[in-house]
Amino acid sequence: MSAFHPIEGLSIFDDKGEVKRLVERLLREMDTEVAIDGMRKLDFSYIFVLTKKEKKKEIELLRPEIEASWEWRKGNIDDSLFKKVQKIISEF
C-alpha cells in the first residue's frame, strides 16, 4: 500500500480491509480481549464498534489519521489515531 496519490487516487482510507487490519493490529497489541464488532465508512471517517465482554464502545477514526498511518505495517502509526484507540480501550 502506498501513500495517497491525488492523480492515481491510491489511498489506505479507501481500502476498508486495510483499515480494519490496522485497527485489529492495534487491538492485539493493546488488549487481546477487545474485538471489532462492526465498522462503517462515512465520507471522512470510519466508525468502529469495539466490544470487550458485554460492553460496547464506538470510536471514530478520521481520514487524516488513517492516511497518516499508511505505513502501519512498518510501525508508522499516526500518534492521534494510536492515542484514540488507547483511550477507548482504557474506558472498558
Side-chain angles (χ1 to χ4, degrees):
M1 180 62 57
S2 63
F4 177 73
H5 190 281
I7 295 172
E8 295 177 20
L10 299 175
S11 169
I12 182 176
F13 184 81
D14 296 323
D15 186 340
K16 192 172 187 176
E18 188 73 358
V19 175
K20 184 177 180 185
R21 285 187 290 277
L22 162 64
V23 174
E24 287 172 335
R25 177 178 172 185
L26 288 172
L27 296 176
R28 276 193 316 268
E29 291 175 2
M30 294 180 193
D31 187 339
T32 57
E33 293 183 22
V34 178
I36 297 173
D37 189 50
M39 67 182 279
R40 62 189 184 277
K41 181 181 177 185
L42 302 176
D43 289 339
F44 300 102
S45 66
Y46 276 92
I47 306 291
F48 284 86
V49 179
L50 305 179
T51 60
K52 183 175 180 177
K53 299 181 183 178
E54 303 286 323
K55 296 181 182 179
K56 288 188 178 192
K57 301 266 184 194
E58 280 193 359
I59 183 173
E60 181 176 16
L61 303 178
L62 304 175
R63 183 180 191 121
E65 297 166 333
I66 294 168
E67 290 289 356
S69 302
W70 70 274
E71 285 192 314
W72 67 271
R73 292 178 191 269
K74 296 179 182 177
N76 299 326
I77 297 170
D78 180 72
D79 201 38
S80 61
L81 185 145
F82 183 85
K83 288 178 182 177
K84 273 188 182 178
V85 174
Q86 193 172 45
K87 182 180 183 295
I88 201 78
I89 287 175
S90 72
E91 293 177 7
F92 281 109

